[in-house]
Amino acid sequence: NLFPDYVDHVQNVDPIEGVVKLDPAGLAGRKVFVKLACAFHYGREDLDVIGLSFRKDIWVKHIQLYPDAGHKPNLTPMHVCLLKKAGEQGRAFTFDIATNLPCSVTLQPGPDNAGKACGVDFEVKTYIATEADPEEKLDRKDTARMTVRKIQFAPDATGAPGPRADICKSFMMSDKPVHLQASLEKEIYYHGDPINVNIKVKNETSRTVTKIKIIVEQTTDVVLYSADKYTKTVLSQDFGTFDKSLAITPLLAENKKKRGLALEGRLKDEDTNLASNTIIRAGMDKEVLGILVSYKIKVNLMVSSGGLLGGLTASDIQVELPLILMHPKPQGKRIV
């Protein structure tokens, strides 16, 4: 019995508290363990049968629940509630999660891909064996497992202004430039909320500004086993009017078939959303984080002018802004 989500507060992580119900009479001298593993999956598990391993454990911790090996967690209200349900056969446990571990991230599989998706996940596994983490394969009836999700919420607002970028571009046959400035109102935006991109254009040339294109890109940096880096466009929107503020909203709903897109860890068939930015604390080892996710906004100004034989030539003026997408902190405390 567990909650599915655990929060990384950057300085500390919610402990995983649970209860296992076990019957010593059916153990035949064996022991009962519970294991928490943070693992990186980069291939289909069914290929393990041919001797290939597509899983790398980043962090593993075991607790022996039976016979009693001295694990005595301080009972919390959640433990008490679960122990009431389990009765006399309930055994409580608590895992303290290291602060340097990644959050749950899944790389969206293609439409024809089956099996476990690539990414980082956390799994709590209870099993019956003669020793912790035995090499032999365990019988399915002797194991119970559950995937949990480690997530991060946006830090408290700092009051700092959002990013700003500007460019001044000159053209041939013109002695005056075009100025483009783009800025965001704040540092951090929440998933699903509109993002207002403030635009300032000063055109001192005879050329015509035909449209503004705004692109949001997600960059996924797989640092655990290679230097792979993937960039996916999650939003591309054209604007024919040049208002001072243009609203965009990048959503997973518009990118359901885009293979390799980084999503927040998925629990069974539950819906999820685009992965949040990876927040790196000073001194953290990036390789341990497995997958790093970041976003940027590209603002393109399309400028056209009369060309040879009356045709049109177009130029693209571009600035880039960093974007942080995260979840807001929930109000109040979780109640069992």
Side-chain angles (χ1 to χ4, degrees):
N1 294 291
L2 299 166
F3 272 119
D5 288 342
Y6 295 85
V7 179
D8 182 345
H9 303 278
V10 180
Q11 299 305 322
N12 65 286
V13 184
D14 289 347
I16 293 182
E17 301 163 349
V19 167
V20 174
K21 183 177 180 179
L22 58 92
D23 181 5
L27 297 179
R30 294 173 298 170
K31 302 174 182 178
V32 178
F33 300 90
V34 61
K35 167 184 174 182
L36 173 62
C38 172
F40 180 67
H41 300 269
Y42 48 100
R44 288 162 41 200
E45 285 189 328
D46 59 354
L47 292 179
D48 286 352
V49 298
I50 62 173
L52 299 175
S53 177
F54 292 92
R55 170 194 171 104
K56 180 177 177 62
D57 286 333
I58 300 173
W59 182 86
V60 177
K61 193 170 184 179
H62 297 268
I63 295 172
Q64 181 177 317
L65 293 180
Y66 186 87
D68 186 357
H71 180 68
K72 301 289 185 183
N74 293 323
L75 296 184
T76 65
M78 180 180 177
H79 281 131
V80 172
C81 178
L82 296 177
L83 285 169
K84 285 181 180 179
K85 295 179 182 179
E88 295 182 356
Q89 295 180 334
R91 298 290 189 276
F93 66 87
T94 297
F95 283 110
D96 293 317
I97 305 176
T99 57
N100 64 336
L101 297 179
C103 289
S104 301
V105 178
T106 296
L107 299 185
Q108 183 164 259
D112 300 326
N113 291 122
K116 199 173 187 74
C118 295
V120 174
D121 68 17
F122 288 77
E123 182 184 77
V124 178
K125 176 181 175 181
T126 303
Y127 59 94
I128 302 171
T130 56
E131 60 181 355
D133 209 14
E135 293 185 3
E136 69 272 13
K137 191 171 183 179
L138 297 172
D139 195 311
R140 181 174 293 182
K141 66 180 177 61
D142 291 334
T143 64
R145 60 181 67 193
M146 177 180 178
T147 299
V148 297
R149 186 164 51 188
K150 179 172 171 283
I151 59 177
Q152 244 176 3
F153 293 127
D156 295 329
T158 62
R164 187 181 77 174
D166 55 81
I167 189 173
C168 180
K169 184 172 181 177
S170 298
F171 298 92
M172 292 182 61
M173 311 299 291
S174 176
D175 58 350
K176 293 184 178 180
V178 174
H179 300 261
L180 170 61
Q181 182 186 98
S183 63
L184 302 179
E185 297 169 347
K186 53 188 179 180
E187 288 183 290
I188 299 171
Y189 288 84
Y190 301 146
H191 291 286
D193 285 356
I195 301 167
N196 293 318
V197 184
N198 299 318
I199 307 289
K200 290 183 181 179
V201 178
K202 185 178 181 181
N203 183 10
E204 300 182 80
T205 72
S206 59
R207 294 172 176 249
T208 302
V209 177
T210 59
K211 67 177 180 181
I212 293 176
K213 179 186 285 288
I214 298 181
I215 297 171
V216 179
E217 290 183 347
Q218 179 197 79
T219 298
T220 304
D221 194 358
V222 183
V223 296
L224 185 65
Y225 70 97
S226 68
D228 290 350
K229 184 176 287 190
Y230 309 95
T231 298
K232 305 286 184 179
T233 297
V234 296
L235 180 141
S236 180
Q237 194 168 342
D238 292 342
F239 297 87
T241 58
F242 312 124
D243 299 327
K244 292 183 179 179
S245 182
L246 303 175
I248 58 171
T249 309
L251 296 170
L252 174 58
E254 308 298 326
N255 296 276
K256 287 283 192 178
K257 296 183 179 180
K258 197 162 288 183
R259 182 179 181 180
L261 197 65
L263 315 177
E264 291 201 331
R266 181 173 289 162
L267 299 176
K268 294 184 178 179
D269 295 324
E270 288 183 14
D271 204 4
T272 183
N273 47 259
L274 297 171
S276 296
N277 283 66
T278 304
I279 304 299
I280 302 176
R281 194 177 65 254
M284 291 182 72
D285 182 358
K286 288 185 179 181
E287 287 193 8
V288 175
L289 292 177
I291 297 177
L292 307 180
V293 179
S294 61
Y295 294 88
K296 63 182 174 184
I297 296 175
K298 293 181 176 181
V299 179
N300 298 276
L301 193 68
M302 304 303 296
V303 182
S304 297
S305 68
L308 295 176
L309 303 176
L312 291 176
T313 59
S315 298
D316 193 359
I317 303 173
Q318 183 185 94
V319 294
E320 296 184 2
L321 299 167
L323 171 65
I324 299 178
L325 275 180
M326 299 194 75
H327 289 290
K329 288 183 179 178
Q331 299 298 317
K333 292 186 177 180
R334 185 167 53 185
I335 299 175
V336 176

